[in-house]
Amino acid sequence: MEHIRTTKVEQVKLLDRFSTSNKSLTGTLYLTATHLLFIDSHQKETWILHHHIALVEKLALTTSGCPLVIQCKNFRIVHFIVPRERDCHDIYNSLLQLSKQAKYEDLYAFSYNPKQNDSERLQGWQLIDLAEEYKRMGVPNSNWQLSDANREYKICETYPRELYVPRIASKPIIVGSSKFRSKGRFPVLSYYHQNKEAAICRCSQPLSGFSARCLEDEHLLQAISKANPVNRYMYVMDTRPKLNAMANRAAGKGYENEDNYSNIRFQFVGIENIHVMRSSLQKLLEVNGNKGLSVSDFYSGLESSGWLRHIKAVMDAAIFLAKAIMVENASVLVHCSDGWDRTSQVCSLGSLLLDSYYRTIKGFMVLIEKDWISFGHKFSERCGHLDGDPKEVSPVFTQFLECVWHLTEQFPQAFEFNEAFLLQIHEHIHSCQFGNFLGNCQKEREELKLKEKTYSLWPFLLDDQKKYLNPLYSSKSPKFAVLEPNTVSFNFKFWRNMYHQFDRTLHPRQSMFNIIMNMNEQNEQLENDIKDLESKIKQRKSKQTDGILTKELLHSVHPESPTLKTSLCFKEQTLLPVNHALRTIEGSNPADNRYSEYAEEYSKSEPGVVSLEYGVARMTC
Amino acid sequence: MVNITVIFSLQSLFLVGCVPGCLKICANVMSFLLTPLFHFQTSRDGVNWDLSEAVPRLPGETRITDKEVIYICPFNGPIKGRVYITNYRLYLRSLETDSALILDVPLGVISRIEKMGGATSRGENSYGLDITCKDMRNLRFALKQEGHSRRDMFEILTRYAFPLAHSLPIFAFLNEEKFNVDGWTVYNPVEEYRRQGLPNHHWRITFINKCYELCDTYPALLVVPYRASDDDLRRVATFRSRNRIPVLSWIHPENKTVIVRCSQPLVGMSGKRNKDDEKYLDVIRETNRQISKLTIYDARPNVNAVANKATGGGYESDDAYHNAELFFLDIHNIHVMRESLKKVKDIVYPNVEESHWLSSLESTHWLEHIKLVLTGAIQVADRVSSGKSSVLVHCSDGWDRTAQLTSLAMLMLDSFYRSIEGFEILVQKEWISFGHKFASRIGHGDKNHADADRSPIFLQFIDCVWQMSKQFPTAFEFNERFLITILDHLYSCRFGTFLYNCESAREKQKVTERTVSLWSLINSNKDKFKNPFYTKEINRVLYPVASMRHLELWVNYYIRWNPRIKQQPNPVEQRYVELLALRDEYIQRLEELQLASSAKLPDPSTSPAGPSQMMPHVRTHF
């Protein structure tokens, strides 16, 4: 590639930022078309995808060399010291170019090849079928139907082609309403609660200004409330703080006037906008130790970043939504400004609280496909996939994942997936390795021909399902039909495994999940042994009746009997947590950019004796 | 509007909120949570339930009085109930049909009783008693103004909660409970030192303190360097605060480095020196030939150590002790810790601080203190386990911070102390026998709630243990309930275990003969206190991460009275227990199948590795 001037630099040092003794690893740095690779003297490899790089900094020259600090979107921070300034400069320039592509076609997904043929690839894309999902929810039905109004993206470019609307809403009403809504994002169905016959609908803000009104829009809202046979009142949730919504009125936008709409109850829930969230994350990362370990006031720093307060705001909104449906049986219309950030958060999280299907591995993929990808959450802009406006970048989806993580902490048995699954998804919204999160809306994705030129992430995650299973999941427990989270202050904790996922010294020494996973595996092994023995006994019985006893059978209970094998295998497992993950970069284990290191962290997480250095690192932070 | 109120009350139900309006509905649910869960259950052991009154009673416990009161629950609002007072406990049962609330509070937990409201107070429920407890809560009772009922209750409670001021015995001396295990036999110093491989060539056991003449706050039995004579010890004692000379706490089984504990040297303003003390420390160092320097950890902040010179104390200077290096560990004194815990209570009881939770938590500095204690212990443990040097630990008098550091370091170094009995021995040895002043720090039966000697030093130690158990879920044989039970009985005065300040006082009062040990209760019902994840390991040193990112507030202890915290059984633990049962079932089936298949063999001798021999082998791994 034209951007790469130096492909290999030797004698580079990698510093551990949580070690006070300035311990470092020496190794060789390689620059490939897609990755930065560091191989240390123990042959341990550190791979960094160019697309993961958020920031490269070249610091002032020191006696030992030229420091190069790379901050990644997955919260990895690496600190290299390159002996010669020229090399450092070359790498720095190359990384600047490589981490910020101008065109979609230059992203990794377009060159990534997991060695699958076209039909396999297509099958992968068909794994998640949203029409199927709406059918599962119970639509179309007597009150809701599929509308073809947006079939050609004529009414709203950022919506999907297939939209579900109240049966009694005619096309002119839809068209009229869409003209009264920001970016044409008129109210449509996001989730239908079959038992309650209540709906979650989503849209963008109305163009009401100070006094404007739109009869079609009012009719459409009425149609939504009429589509609920139990409760004629519906909630309109504006997820913004009231002040922001009012400010929008001056620009000819705003919020619904309760006097103009019949049977609505209007409610602000106060989630801040993308800019506030971006700077909040920035502050969080500063507290987090980007600035070294001098930060002694971790908690007050965490609080002043506001991050957990924002997480709680999103959670509170989702709880409000779920309660409106469960307790009052009311339909809810959710919007923010454009209806693709906060609205996606609240609708998806609300559905997750209500419907246990979304707490399965497959269901969670469906949820993301539906409320985030298809409804036009601007992934490429929010994740900064291309060299674009930095003001459009915001951790909205990360917040959603964190809310889900908080729920998994509070309800450890309610989710089929584990933390690693969430981290892996987070990894891939930035990796640009798969097509799912590229582009900002469905129309754009179709134009990019992503389904022909790239692969879908989901089948790869499903293939690796075993890694992402939560051993505590109890799918049948009625306790977890609807989740009712407790939002008391001390329940909101810093997500260490997300923001410190690459800082091994800061991880706990033992993982409870691994213990349980091992136990599960041992039990499976035992079960197999039982089956084995049972079949052998059966076999023998039949043979005995024939009066034949072969030597082979004698052998089967001899030294190599299953029990002995089992006991040996126990021994190994209790000593070493299972680590299936092998480092691969292109090929056999493709969806796995990060997990292997994660697993490795855990597998090495029980050292018999930790060196003093670790001890000191831990003492100082 | 009607609909909106519906949401509201349902909303509070949903969150199990604290809005007074909804209380009655959820009172049933909450009453369970409100009772001191752990205590309530443990107190049932050996308890006689007097059926006529349905109040639990221990053998030796006598009824004093009962009264109708209104319990002003900070979470659910006023609840009418009947309170029963015995010489051991205050027991309240709700008289309202829709609430099953029960309070069962040992009187030992009471720190202070105040009257609230006067003859002129008007408001509803404004006249009564406010009781401050040592376990992070307050109890308020409203009483009728007529008929002196408040005066009676105040006097009776004062009398039995603070027996010392009324020349009454502490309940532990009246308790006639019988257990099938005798907890007093758990700790036998000679056996414990023998377990550590002592005496050996360098260390001897001395009975010089047999009658507590050398040091009245030390145990009778001490381990000292072989080369130090009893006369040497006497001379060293004159130079150490309260005669608490350096003695051995723990010895590393392989590298033979040791942890030694003592009090500060009496250096004073003039910088006095004592040749015997200097020589004695050098003798300790020389028990390991390869070590050039003895490490001294002074637990205090440097400034405090210097300030102590004014009152005759101080620290070991470089000039006097050539072969030692001194580090300060910056752990604050008992007063700072007491104030810190007070602040914790302010932000968690009755209401949990909501909007500024994190910064409020930080401003209590509680976790910071925990971090400093753990960090200090990690350093001690690391020195010793790496064999770099032997360690001498002291603070001012060597009975607060020193006990924390030595016991935590021993817990990190020696897996024996992580078993239930091992932990009991650790507490018995480093805390009880070495004179942590439990009576002064806790104020058993004493009415002076503002006594400057009170401080939550032992609670802090248990908190550190809990933090470790969170980070090493398989390393400890005991569970959280074990720790909470210890803390509950630290105050309850039901057992003699934590009474008095030192061994000599306990001996004088014949505590072991006249009271029951807490370990009797625990050891006779060990299953309840066992951690299912425990995997026994030998020789593994635990180094917890003492970073603020890892330390957590112990919600299940400090906020346990709040109905918003869930006390449901830990799902992870539950699942594990399920799996354990499942595995046992599988192993049994396997065993049966193996037997069945081997039974079918014509000649059993061809199967040397019979299942009965193999199975125990399988089991040992769990």
Side-chain angles (χ1 to χ4, degrees):
Chain A
M1 277 192 80
E2 72 269 32
H3 303 304
I4 300 176
R5 251 190 240 146
T6 310
T7 53
K8 182 179 171 188
V9 186
E10 279 169 350
Q11 291 297 310
V12 174
K13 279 193 195 127
L14 174 63
L15 300 185
D16 178 354
R17 69 186 174 119
F18 285 104
S19 154
T20 42
S21 56
N22 276 331
K23 192 182 169 213
S24 62
L25 292 164
T26 307
T28 309
L29 197 62
Y30 298 89
L31 200 57
T32 75
T34 53
H35 290 79
L36 183 68
L37 166 64
F38 178 77
I39 303 180
D40 66 26
S41 46
H42 309 295
Q43 299 305 309
K44 195 189 153 277
E45 299 173 3
T46 305
W47 290 87
I48 295 169
L49 189 63
H50 296 327
H51 296 313
H52 270 144
I53 296 175
L55 189 71
V56 201
E57 279 177 292
K58 205 164 65 109
L59 305 182
L61 195 69
T62 66
T63 47
S64 50
C66 190
L68 187 71
V69 179
I70 299 171
Q71 284 185 35
C72 298
K73 292 170 180 171
N74 53 11
F75 309 114
R76 183 204 282 269
I77 294 174
V78 282
H79 194 145
F80 289 117
I81 294 187
V82 184
R84 292 197 329 182
E85 199 190 359
R86 247 202 73 181
D87 291 334
C88 184
H89 191 73
D90 284 347
I91 291 176
Y92 171 75
N93 279 335
S94 303
L95 288 180
L96 274 190
Q97 299 292 329
L98 293 165
S99 63
K100 289 268 179 251
Q101 301 291 357
K103 296 198 307 281
Y104 281 115
E105 285 76 9
D106 292 335
L107 295 176
Y108 186 26
F110 289 90
S111 58
Y112 172 66
N113 179 9
K115 301 193 176 66
Q116 285 192 348
N117 61 32
D118 286 357
S119 75
E120 280 174 308
R121 181 178 60 206
L122 199 64
Q123 253 176 14
W125 280 110
Q126 283 160 348
L127 183 70
I128 306 294
D129 179 358
L130 289 186
E132 199 58 42
E133 167 58 11
Y134 284 101
K135 215 182 279 167
R136 188 193 66 88
M137 290 180 207
V139 288
N141 59 24
S142 55
N143 289 317
W144 294 88
Q145 65 174 2
L146 178 65
S147 158
D148 59 1
N150 203 38
R151 185 121 296 172
E152 306 301 324
Y153 297 116
K154 276 197 181 125
I155 296 183
C156 176
E157 291 203 325
T158 58
Y159 265 176
R161 289 176 190 271
E162 299 190 337
L163 294 167
Y164 292 82
V165 295
R167 203 166 272 279
I168 56 169
S170 64
K171 196 161 177 187
I173 284 182
I174 291 172
V175 173
S177 166
S178 78
K179 293 198 169 121
F180 188 65
R181 292 278 169 180
S182 180
K183 309 276 197 310
R185 294 169 69 91
F186 62 98
V188 297
L189 183 78
S190 160
Y191 177 74
Y192 180 74
H193 196 290
Q194 222 163 347
N195 289 341
K196 298 278 176 185
E197 295 179 82
I200 301 175
C201 295
R202 56 184 292 168
C203 62
S204 61
Q205 64 185 339
L207 303 174
S208 53
F210 289 100
S211 59
R213 54 188 289 188
C214 166
L215 286 177
E216 289 92 340
D217 193 61
E218 289 160 25
H219 277 136
L220 184 53
L221 260 65
Q222 205 166 10
I224 293 173
S225 71
K226 278 187 181 156
N228 179 335
V230 187
N231 193 340
R232 282 278 178 261
Y233 273 93
M234 70 181 268
Y235 278 96
V236 175
M237 270 173 85
D238 190 326
T239 55
R240 299 168 292 182
K242 189 172 182 186
L243 216 63
N244 301 20
M246 283 168 70
N248 261 298
R249 279 162 74 175
K253 299 161 189 173
Y255 52 92
E256 291 81 357
N257 181 343
E258 266 182 300
D259 298 338
N260 296 342
Y261 294 84
S262 45
N263 296 340
I264 72 159
R265 226 171 269 134
F266 188 83
Q267 178 78 37
F268 286 110
V269 292
I271 303 171
E272 300 287 348
N273 66 27
I274 58 166
H275 310 295
V276 175
M277 300 308 188
R278 179 177 56 244
S279 66
S280 173
L281 179 66
Q282 204 49 49
K283 283 184 209 145
L284 178 82
L285 295 179
E286 278 164 25
V287 181
N288 206 13
N290 286 4
K291 300 251 152 82
L293 287 170
S294 58
V295 194
S296 59
D297 35 8
F298 176 64
Y299 280 117
S300 55
L302 190 56
E303 182 174 289
S304 67
S305 78
W307 184 254
L308 292 177
R309 201 177 65 237
H310 298 314
I311 296 290
K312 181 177 182 319
V314 176
M315 198 81 104
D316 279 334
I319 293 170
F320 181 92
L321 172 63
K323 235 180 299 174
I325 289 185
M326 282 317 288
V327 179
E328 283 190 85
N329 231 319
S331 291
V332 187
L333 175 66
V334 184
H335 73 72
C336 46
S337 296
D338 288 321
W340 50 43
D341 293 313
R342 289 167 272 201
T343 302
S344 296
Q345 289 178 329
V346 174
C347 289
S348 55
L349 210 56
S351 320
L352 186 90
L353 293 178
L354 290 167
D355 193 333
S356 61
Y357 173 65
Y358 297 129
R359 292 174 231 138
T360 62
I361 287 185
K362 178 89 182 288
F364 193 65
M365 296 171 176
V366 168
L367 186 68
I368 293 173
E369 277 287 340
K370 175 170 74 76
D371 273 316
W372 292 86
I373 296 174
S374 89
F375 277 113
H377 172 68
K378 305 200 288 177
F379 274 104
S380 272
E381 290 200 350
R382 295 291 176 260
C383 301
H385 290 158
L386 297 177
D387 192 10
D389 183 358
K391 284 216 163 64
E392 285 290 329
V393 175
S394 186
V396 176
F397 188 74
T398 306
Q399 281 184 324
F400 164 68
L401 291 180
E402 180 161 338
C403 287
V404 176
W405 174 75
H406 273 104
L407 290 173
T408 62
E409 285 284 288
Q410 223 179 100
F411 304 98
Q413 293 154 287
F415 291 82
E416 190 190 6
F417 50 83
N418 60 18
E419 189 180 37
F421 184 62
L422 297 175
L423 293 174
Q424 192 65 29
I425 291 174
H426 184 259
E427 182 85 1
H428 284 295
I429 61 168
H430 293 112
S431 73
C432 303
Q433 189 176 353
F434 298 92
N436 308 60
F437 304 107
L438 300 187
N440 292 310
C441 58
Q442 292 298 57
K443 184 165 178 264
E444 199 177 354
R445 286 184 194 105
E446 285 173 21
E447 285 162 6
L448 287 169
K449 299 197 169 35
L450 290 177
K451 292 196 179 175
E452 292 150 52
K453 295 181 173 167
T454 72
Y455 294 85
S456 167
L457 167 67
W458 309 127
F460 293 94
L461 290 185
L462 269 187
D463 282 349
D464 275 347
Q465 213 180 118
K466 229 180 145 191
K467 278 183 214 165
Y468 306 125
L469 286 178
N470 169 16
L472 301 175
Y473 182 49
S474 65
S475 53
K476 284 163 205 98
S477 174
K479 251 197 315 194
F480 307 117
V482 176
L483 300 185
E484 299 168 12
N486 182 348
T487 56
V488 67
S489 50
F490 52 75
N491 274 348
F492 289 90
K493 290 177 189 152
F494 177 68
W495 191 4
R496 201 173 46 221
N497 286 343
M498 171 67 104
Y499 303 104
H500 277 310
Q501 56 182 306
F502 296 99
D503 300 307
R504 180 172 302 163
T505 48
L506 288 182
H507 282 291
R509 310 284 112 197
Q510 282 187 324
S511 150
M512 202 70 114
F513 279 86
N514 275 345
I515 298 170
I516 294 201
M517 285 299 233
N518 283 351
M519 184 69 122
N520 266 337
E521 269 170 42
Q522 288 171 7
N523 275 2
E524 267 167 43
Q525 174 78 41
L526 281 170
E527 229 172 322
N528 289 339
D529 289 353
I530 287 178
K531 275 187 203 135
D532 228 42
L533 272 172
E534 268 173 344
S535 67
K536 275 193 182 136
I537 287 181
K538 243 185 227 155
Q539 220 181 342
R540 171 168 321 177
K541 268 184 186 156
S542 60
K543 282 191 182 171
Q544 263 181 341
T545 47
D546 295 343
I548 308 160
L549 245 170
T550 59
K551 271 193 178 175
E552 179 249 325
L553 267 172
L554 273 172
H555 196 68
S556 75
V557 266
H558 216 48
E560 283 169 299
S561 80
T563 336
L564 269 185
K565 267 188 264 165
T566 318
S567 66
L568 278 173
C569 116
F570 285 161
K571 211 182 246 166
E572 262 163 55
Q573 279 174 347
T574 38
L575 288 176
L576 248 182
V578 200
N579 185 359
H580 296 298
L582 287 167
R583 156 69 47 220
T584 50
I585 186 58
E586 285 168 42
S588 61
N589 205 355
D592 202 356
N593 247 325
R594 191 199 46 75
Y595 181 82
S596 57
E597 251 166 90
Y598 186 70
E600 198 180 320
E601 239 148 55
Y602 276 137
S603 66
K604 288 190 184 165
S605 63
E606 295 173 54
V609 177
V610 179
S611 72
L612 174 59
E613 191 173 359
Y614 279 172
V616 171
R618 256 168 277 121
M619 284 167 214
T620 43
C621 50
Chain B
M1 270 329 283
V2 176
N3 259 326
I4 291 197
T5 42
V6 170
I7 309 197
F8 251 94
S9 58
L10 283 165
Q11 179 175 354
S12 22
L13 238 187
F14 198 140
L15 295 174
V16 199
C18 309
V19 192
C22 74
L23 304 183
K24 301 280 157 66
I25 320 170
C26 23
N28 272 318
V29 191
M30 291 189 187
S31 58
F32 174 68
L33 297 168
L34 276 172
T35 44
L37 190 69
F38 295 101
H39 178 75
F40 179 64
Q41 290 177 352
T42 53
S43 68
R44 276 189 160 169
D45 305 295
V47 164
N48 293 329
W49 282 77
D50 189 333
L51 289 176
S52 59
E53 50 195 48
V55 174
R57 235 183 330 154
L58 298 168
E61 183 177 358
T62 49
R63 264 269 313 273
I64 310 292
T65 187
D66 64 76
K67 273 200 165 38
E68 203 168 291
V69 297
I70 290 168
Y71 167 58
I72 305 168
C73 171
F75 312 108
N76 296 344
I79 293 168
K80 212 162 135 192
R82 178 165 288 277
V83 66
Y84 301 84
I85 299 170
T86 72
N87 56 352
Y88 170 65
R89 79 182 86 208
L90 178 159
Y91 188 86
L92 177 121
R93 177 182 291 282
S94 159
L95 292 175
E96 288 174 32
T97 44
D98 54 357
S99 156
L101 180 118
I102 282 171
L103 273 183
D104 186 357
V105 187
L107 297 179
V109 146
I110 295 174
S111 156
R112 179 183 195 180
I113 309 168
E114 283 171 290
K115 292 177 182 162
M116 56 173 192
T120 53
S121 32
R122 291 280 148 121
E124 208 187 334
N125 300 332
S126 62
Y127 184 82
L129 293 176
D130 186 14
I131 299 172
T132 309
C133 299
K134 295 168 182 172
D135 60 356
M136 309 292 286
R137 61 178 160 163
N138 277 45
L139 304 171
R140 296 185 126 198
F141 299 105
L143 289 142
K144 288 196 195 82
Q145 294 214 14
E146 311 82 52
H148 303 300
S149 64
R150 179 172 81 171
R151 196 192 62 196
D152 292 351
M153 186 164 160
F154 179 80
E155 279 171 6
I156 288 166
L157 276 180
T158 310
R159 206 173 148 81
Y160 290 98
F162 309 127
L164 292 191
H166 300 86
S167 352
L168 287 171
I170 283 179
F171 178 75
F173 291 102
L174 305 171
N175 187 2
E176 292 163 11
E177 281 177 274
K178 296 272 180 293
F179 293 97
N180 48 21
V181 184
D182 182 9
W184 292 121
T185 60
V186 164
Y187 177 58
N188 175 337
V190 175
E191 250 172 57
E192 163 58 15
Y193 288 120
R194 191 175 299 147
R195 186 192 67 85
Q196 292 189 23
L198 298 168
N200 63 16
H201 289 316
H202 295 288
W203 296 90
R204 67 186 176 98
I205 290 177
T206 170
F207 293 93
I208 184 177
N209 203 34
K210 178 172 70 197
C211 303
Y212 308 105
E213 279 160 339
L214 178 76
C215 170
D216 57 354
T217 58
Y218 260 5
L221 198 143
L222 298 169
V223 176
V224 294
Y226 194 81
R227 282 178 47 211
S229 70
D230 283 1
D231 284 340
D232 290 337
L233 299 179
R234 284 192 195 95
R235 283 195 295 271
V236 171
T238 61
F239 191 63
R240 290 279 164 180
S241 176
R242 315 218 183 231
N243 302 335
R244 294 172 68 92
I245 60 165
V247 295
L248 179 141
S249 270
W250 191 78
I251 183 162
H252 194 284
E254 273 135 39
N255 65 36
K256 304 292 177 198
T257 54
V258 295
I259 299 177
V260 169
R261 60 181 291 173
C262 60
S263 61
Q264 64 183 341
L266 299 173
V267 174
M269 293 294 264
S270 55
K272 271 191 298 242
R273 291 179 56 166
N274 181 309
K275 283 278 170 238
D276 296 297
D277 192 68
E278 289 161 27
K279 200 181 120 210
Y280 184 72
L281 259 55
D282 219 35
V283 167
I284 292 175
R285 179 185 65 80
E286 280 170 356
T287 57
N288 280 71
R289 237 168 268 131
Q290 67 277 27
I291 287 165
S292 60
K293 283 211 188 254
L294 176 73
T295 306
I296 301 174
Y297 284 112
D298 187 327
R300 301 166 292 182
N302 192 344
V303 216
N304 298 27
V306 173
N308 257 294
K309 286 187 174 179
T311 52
Y315 54 90
E316 294 82 356
S317 68
D318 290 344
D319 309 337
Y321 299 84
H322 300 294
N323 295 328
E325 43 183 353
L326 178 95
F327 301 94
F328 292 102
L329 294 176
D330 290 326
I331 302 170
H332 285 278
N333 64 25
I334 60 166
H335 312 295
V336 175
M337 302 309 180
R338 181 178 58 238
E339 294 315 309
S340 174
L341 184 67
K342 249 186 212 149
K343 286 187 197 148
V344 173
K345 184 171 174 183
D346 287 343
I347 65 162
V348 300
Y349 191 90
N351 296 315
V352 177
E353 164 67 40
E354 278 291 334
S355 51
H356 297 288
W357 167 249
L358 293 169
S359 58
S360 310
L361 179 60
E362 185 172 277
S363 68
T364 69
H365 298 293
W366 183 253
L367 292 178
E368 211 177 305
H369 297 314
I370 296 281
K371 181 191 138 172
L372 284 168
V373 173
L374 275 174
T375 306
I378 291 170
Q379 278 171 272
V380 173
D382 183 71
R383 279 275 144 172
V384 172
S385 102
S386 64
K388 280 197 191 103
S389 74
S390 286
V391 172
L392 178 105
V393 184
H394 70 71
C395 45
S396 297
D397 287 320
W399 49 42
D400 293 311
R401 288 165 276 198
T402 301
Q404 289 178 332
L405 290 169
T406 55
S407 56
L408 284 171
M410 286 155 77
L411 200 62
M412 291 170 194
L413 290 162
D414 191 338
S415 59
F416 170 72
Y417 297 122
R418 296 174 218 144
S419 65
I420 288 180
E421 290 211 9
F423 190 77
E424 292 166 357
I425 288 171
L426 184 70
V427 169
Q428 203 73 47
K429 175 176 181 303
E430 287 304 297
W431 290 85
I432 298 172
S433 85
F434 271 102
H436 172 68
K437 304 203 292 174
F438 280 104
S440 306
R441 297 287 174 258
I442 307 300
H444 293 127
D446 175 46
K447 68 177 194 309
N448 302 313
H449 60 87
D451 193 329
D453 253 356
R454 297 209 183 164
S455 187
I457 301 300
F458 187 73
L459 164 62
Q460 203 171 41
F461 158 69
I462 296 288
D463 194 332
C464 290
V465 176
W466 177 81
Q467 304 279 358
M468 283 176 69
S469 73
K470 285 291 273 187
Q471 293 189 27
F472 300 97
T474 64
F476 296 87
E477 191 191 2
F478 48 82
N479 57 17
E480 187 177 53
R481 177 192 269 193
F482 174 77
L483 297 177
I484 293 180
T485 303
I486 291 178
L487 289 177
D488 279 342
H489 292 297
L490 173 65
Y491 309 120
S492 77
C493 295
R494 178 171 154 194
F495 301 101
T497 305
F498 297 113
L499 299 183
Y500 300 101
N501 282 333
C502 56
E503 203 177 278
S504 61
R506 255 168 244 127
E507 208 152 284
K508 217 160 115 197
Q509 298 295 334
K510 301 195 167 54
V511 170
T512 52
E513 294 156 46
R514 294 167 59 207
T515 70
V516 181
S517 163
L518 167 60
W519 317 130
S520 306
L521 171 85
I522 287 174
N523 294 355
S524 59
N525 208 341
K526 262 191 187 167
D527 280 348
K528 262 200 320 209
F529 303 105
K530 275 189 176 159
N531 165 20
F533 296 104
Y534 179 55
T535 3
K536 201 170 172 182
E537 293 170 293
I538 320 255
N539 294 338
R540 178 175 170 215
V541 182
L542 303 184
Y543 289 109
V545 187
S547 137
M548 289 305 269
R549 289 164 179 76
H550 276 270
L551 300 181
E552 275 179 50
L553 186 75
W554 187 7
V555 167
N556 284 346
Y557 182 73
Y558 299 108
I559 319 188
R560 65 178 156 154
W561 311 119
N562 192 317
R564 286 183 78 178
I565 78 150
K566 49 170 188 186
Q567 289 215 341
Q568 57 187 328
N570 177 353
V572 183
E573 204 172 302
Q574 249 180 336
R575 176 78 181 137
Y576 192 74
V577 172
E578 277 168 32
L579 286 174
L580 277 175
L582 196 63
R583 205 208 43 216
D584 283 348
E585 198 188 304
Y586 284 155
I587 289 182
Q588 205 189 334
R589 280 198 61 197
L590 256 179
E591 207 165 342
E592 282 163 16
L593 285 171
Q594 291 254 319
L595 276 171
S597 68
S598 60
K600 294 207 171 74
L601 278 174
D603 182 6
S605 63
T606 54
S607 166
S612 48
Q613 285 133 287
M614 286 189 282
M615 278 310 153
H617 182 55
V618 176
R619 274 163 208 258
T620 52
H621 295 290
F622 306 104

